[in-house]
Amino acid sequence: MTPAVDREVIVAGAGPAGIATAVALSAQVPGLTSRILCLDKARFPRDKPCGGGLTGHAHAALAVLGLPIRVPRVACGEGRIVYGHRTRDVALGRPVDIVRRCEFDADLVEQARARGIEIATGEGLASFEVDARAGLVRIVTSAGRRLTTRVLVGADGAGSRVRRTLAVDDRPPLRLFQAEVEAPTELAPTIAGRMIYDFSLMTRGLRGYLWLFPAPDGRINVGAMHTPTRKVSGAEIEGLLREGLRPYGVALPDGARGWPAWRYRASASIAAPHLLCVGDAAGIDALTGEGIAVGLEQGPIAAAAIATALTSGDFAFAGYTAAVRRAVVGRELALDDRLARLLYARHGFSVWLSLMLFDRRMQELYAARVSGSE
């Protein structure tokens, strides 16, 4: 006889990936809604360092989930690629909306609660143990609660305890720094409706790009992404970010947030019996650093695997990693991982940057991709 559990599914993390998984599962198996629990160590709204861009893929995923965007946003219909004194503007078929993650994530939590999904904030996943004989997972929360579940979803970001158990990847993570600042008056015409991706710091050792995105209330979201093909300390990345912002008349305030982010790798397993990962815990886009759309797209894939497991009683999740890999999101992540190795290589990056700057076909592909096509 199958032992009873406290919840059929527990999702560790209530960011976009965790909410997408819970909402999709509730829609696919309506009777399961009251048996789903999302845990998050933070209380919402909470700070989340991120560029905050909702691409065409994010919009499409939100539409599938039935989750409207109800927070302030700034539409960007153009992307600008910069390398030294060279610039290229690329028109986007569908604007990218820039939001504040603290507002966006909090609203997704409220929308999920309105659907009857239980979300415990200020209470994260402290530890867990898979009991294969009993066919369940025993967890302990940061509040000291002891719970059992048939499925534990790791949607708890780069520091995911579930990911750590699966040993998904041994490559060093991406490094990102981000801050939101007042937009200088002289920069306003340049940044209005336009996202800036500046690769000039590649010559100074950064293996990535600097970004400047317009944010709500006349502010700008700035940051830098570094791929560890070249060893650079956090202090050096922050220093390069300050240097790169100077030509735009932007001063980086004290307290810029730095954080690691795992790159998606197609060959890595992101599931095990009774366990699976989504979102940042499964790995983000290695080329762009995008994670919001990735988590929103992976949620329904995870939900489908969980629904099948609950029906069949087979919780091995042997096909989940392959299902993510075959999906549009998985194919694009795998391609971008390969492109990132070329563009952010220790040497020879100028060849690939020249394609981005001078090859119109490459620019059209970029625009189509950001707008939401495969």
Side-chain angles (χ1 to χ4, degrees):
M1 183 176 179
T2 304
V5 292
D6 296 303
R7 299 289 192 283
E8 294 296 324
V9 179
I10 292 180
V11 181
I19 293 298
T21 303
V23 167
L25 185 57
S26 173
Q28 291 179 29
V29 190
L32 192 65
T33 302
S34 63
R35 303 287 291 157
I36 302 170
L37 170 64
C38 289
L39 300 169
D40 201 295
K41 63 183 179 181
R43 298 185 185 278
F44 293 79
R46 53 93 170 98
D47 286 335
K48 170 67 176 178
C50 175
L54 300 180
T55 62
H57 283 291
H59 279 279
L62 288 167
V64 169
L65 292 163
L67 297 171
I69 304 170
R70 309 187 304 187
V71 299
R73 49 184 161 161
V74 177
C76 291
E78 191 172 71
R80 171 170 289 182
I81 303 167
V82 180
Y83 181 58
H85 66 277
R86 301 176 181 87
T87 64
R88 287 292 182 274
D89 290 333
V90 183
L92 306 177
R94 178 173 187 169
V96 171
D97 284 327
I98 309 298
V99 297
R100 288 193 179 96
R101 284 294 300 274
C102 60
E103 298 170 343
F104 178 70
D105 290 9
D107 187 65
L108 291 186
V109 167
E110 290 310 308
Q111 291 191 56
R113 280 178 169 155
R115 297 180 181 217
I117 297 168
E118 182 183 0
I119 301 175
T121 59
E123 183 178 18
L125 175 67
S127 63
F128 71 90
E129 178 185 7
V130 177
D131 186 334
R133 176 171 292 185
L136 50 80
V137 184
R138 305 182 190 279
I139 80 164
V140 179
T141 75
S142 59
R145 272 204 292 175
R146 296 181 179 274
L147 300 168
T148 55
T149 183
R150 302 204 193 286
V151 180
L152 175 61
V153 180
D156 42 349
S160 171
R161 294 182 180 277
V162 178
R163 178 191 173 91
R164 211 175 303 160
T165 298
L166 299 179
V168 172
D169 199 347
D170 57 0
R171 295 180 301 173
L174 301 172
R175 299 291 301 278
L176 299 101
F177 278 78
Q178 180 266 346
E180 185 180 295
V181 300
E182 289 288 343
T185 303
E186 61 274 15
L187 185 62
T190 302
I191 201 73
R194 177 187 290 134
M195 303 179 297
I196 298 176
Y197 297 88
D198 193 328
F199 293 86
S200 304
L201 293 172
M202 293 276 276
T203 61
R204 302 278 288 114
L206 190 75
R207 290 298 174 263
Y209 64 90
L210 175 155
W211 76 77
L212 298 96
F213 298 163
D217 306 320
R219 295 171 67 82
I220 55 173
N221 184 318
V222 301
M225 184 189 86
H226 174 72
T227 300
T229 50
R230 184 178 184 276
K231 191 171 183 180
V232 179
S233 70
E236 288 176 298
I237 297 171
E238 185 175 347
L240 287 170
L241 176 56
R242 291 181 186 277
E243 177 185 328
L245 290 173
R246 207 167 292 132
Y248 294 95
V250 176
L252 187 68
D254 293 333
R257 295 282 300 276
W259 77 103
W262 300 106
R263 295 167 282 175
Y264 174 82
R265 187 175 67 173
S267 60
S269 175
I270 51 176
H274 300 277
L275 308 172
L276 48 81
C277 289
V278 293
D280 286 14
I284 67 172
D285 190 305
L287 183 66
T288 66
E290 182 180 7
I292 302 175
V294 171
L296 292 172
E297 290 178 292
Q298 288 178 349
I301 303 172
I306 294 167
T308 298
L310 290 170
T311 300
S312 67
D314 180 0
F315 294 92
F317 294 119
Y320 173 68
T321 298
V324 172
R325 191 185 307 131
R326 288 193 304 267
V328 171
V329 62
R331 296 199 299 272
E332 292 191 336
L333 286 170
L335 173 61
D336 281 2
D337 186 43
R338 295 173 68 184
L339 292 174
R341 289 182 223 168
L342 298 172
L343 181 59
Y344 303 136
R346 187 176 180 85
H347 304 290
F349 60 85
S350 58
V351 174
W352 298 97
L353 276 174
S354 69
L355 283 174
M356 294 173 62
L357 287 163
F358 300 116
D359 191 316
R360 180 57 60 180
R361 294 168 301 175
M362 288 289 288
Q363 295 162 14
E364 290 172 351
L365 286 170
Y366 156 77
R369 166 70 184 280
V370 172
S371 298
S373 69
E374 181 178 0

